[in-house]
Amino acid sequence: MSKKTIFILQDSKESCEEIASLFEKSEEYSVIGASTDGISAIATVAEKRPDFLITELVISGYDGLSVIDKVKNMGVDTKVIVLSALCREEIVSRAVAAGADYFMAKPVNYDVLIERMKEVYSGGDAIRRNNGEGLHRVSLEEKISKIFINVGIPPHIKGYSFLREGVLMAVENPSIINNITKQLYPMIGERYQTTPSKVERAIRHAIEVAWNRGRIDNINNILGVRAYVGADKPTNGEFIALIADKMLLEKG
């Protein structure tokens, strides 16, 4: 099976190398080039027609939004994934309107990135232009990611992705929090091709990491109440429910 090709366009050589390194051992994807300049990236995409363009928004030459627009008007079937630290809702909206197929906030979790790339390529749950529901989901993902980073849950551990998926599921279906063992863990496990018990342990570990880092004040500030003191620590279900409730209140 031939590998799907990727061209990387980021704001620095270091960022290009960091993202390229995620795919070094991949059997499905191959990085065919990288650039920090939007003008040269457009020329390369037109010539090599990669399956994916992974771009930032703030770059030299053409900015990211212009690059997306030009790629989408070239007639090439290149899927555009935006990885950016700029993730305000209006920015996400503009990127999607320009033609971005998906938008993720930095720092990026490799497993989640690959999952979204597969969705985009297959035309499944990918974010499309003028798709209000999809835009809401990607915006929600970025808000949840910001919370996790602020409370000290590092994006490279498995529990980060599992927790984020759990919160998204709880926002979409609040009653699922009452069936965390029989429904939520198995559903996350199925999505990430792992077992419910591994999902449970990874989420518990992620919460423990946050508490061991002493970010309790951050957690209380984010939740808006003094929910936890000292070594007091929530269960997996309590933590997911608290973040999901915050998302639902903001949505409302």
Side-chain angles (χ1 to χ4, degrees), residues 3-8 16 19-24 29-34 54:
K3 292 185 177 183
K4 296 179 180 64
T5 53
I6 300 168
F7 187 84
I8 299 170
C16 288
I19 294 169
S21 69
L22 298 175
F23 298 96
E24 278 181 358
Y29 300 94
S30 174
V31 176
I32 60 170
I54 297 180

Side-chain angles (χ1 to χ4, degrees), residues 136 140 143 171 244-252:
H136 168 69
L140 194 58
K143 289 179 181 178
V171 170
D245 284 347
K246 178 178 174 60
M247 297 296 101
L248 286 167
L249 287 170
E250 290 183 355
K251 180 182 176 183

Side-chain angles (χ1 to χ4, degrees), residues 22-40:
L22 298 175
F23 298 96
E24 278 181 358
K25 298 180 181 179
S26 173
E27 296 181 356
E28 298 181 64
Y29 300 94
S30 174
V31 176
I32 60 170
S35 176
T36 59
D37 178 77
I39 296 174
S40 64

Side-chain angles (χ1 to χ4, degrees), residues 118 188-195:
K118 288 179 179 178
I188 296 173
E190 182 178 356
R191 186 173 185 83
Y192 287 90
Q193 297 182 325
T194 189
T195 63

Side-chain angles (χ1 to χ4, degrees), residues 107-128:
V108 174
N109 180 284
Y110 176 70
D111 291 334
V112 176
L113 173 59
I114 292 298
E115 180 75 15
R116 300 300 182 255
M117 287 171 69
K118 288 179 179 178
E119 290 176 354
V120 165
Y121 198 80
S122 66
D125 298 328
I127 304 304
R128 298 297 183 186

Side-chain angles (χ1 to χ4, degrees), residues 69-80:
D69 182 66
K70 290 180 182 301
V71 167
K72 290 299 178 178
N73 284 293
M74 272 183 194
V76 299
D77 192 24
T78 297
K79 308 299 182 185
V80 179

